[in-house]
Amino acid sequence: MNSTEHPEAEVVVELTGCPAEDAHAVFSALRTSFAGDRPADDVPHEVVAGRPTVWTATFDVSEQRAVPGPMRLTAPVTVDLQGGYRAVAQLQDSLASAFVVEVVGMAAGDQEQETQLRLRNR
């Protein structure tokens, strides 16, 4: 991913408070659609057992590759998105192909927004 070409198309995705396998499902769905800053074989794993882990990745939504199919989660997952308005909307639409998406919070700025989503199985 070359972030200097489309910085307005980047979305930072953060997951916390979920098992590694659910983080992997979310990131796999997003990698189906968009280029990211992590290699395809990068699988999330717990660093310290029993302590909260935050998984973060950045995706460039300037070009959508494919639409992900439904993915399975062990439990609902909270996802935080940060980026430009269009970029966040595109990434959210892609997630809606793989999961049931509920917007649970949003903070709007001049150029960017932060959106918190709750993902569930379809």
Side-chain angles (χ1 to χ4, degrees):
M1 180 174 87
N2 186 349
S3 61
T4 58
E5 288 182 30
H6 304 284
E8 71 283 353
E10 288 185 357
V11 179
V12 176
V13 179
E14 231 178 60
L15 293 96
T16 188
C18 69
E21 64 190 283
D22 288 344
H24 181 60
V26 173
F27 288 143
S28 292
L30 290 172
R31 274 194 295 267
T32 298
S33 295
F34 308 112
D37 65 345
R38 308 255 183 212
D41 62 351
D42 182 29
V43 177
H45 62 281
E46 299 280 342
V47 177
V48 178
R51 300 199 61 184
T53 301
V54 177
W55 291 282
T56 303
T58 302
F59 293 91
D60 180 342
V61 302
S62 60
E63 183 180 323
Q64 187 167 4
R65 300 178 194 170
V67 176
M71 303 290 281
R72 299 294 304 161
L73 300 169
T74 63
V77 172
T78 300
V79 179
D80 293 308
L81 309 176
Q82 181 179 4
Y85 287 94
R86 279 191 200 153
V88 168
Q90 284 178 270
L91 192 130
Q92 184 176 332
D93 287 346
S94 179
L95 285 171
S97 299
F99 309 100
V100 173
V101 176
E102 173 189 3
V103 176
V104 293
M106 188 183 321
D110 185 33
Q111 304 278 325
E112 288 190 344
Q113 71 178 4
E114 290 183 34
T115 301
Q116 187 172 69
L117 307 174
R118 191 80 165 152
L119 307 179
R120 296 186 329 259
N121 292 326
R122 289 202 147 281

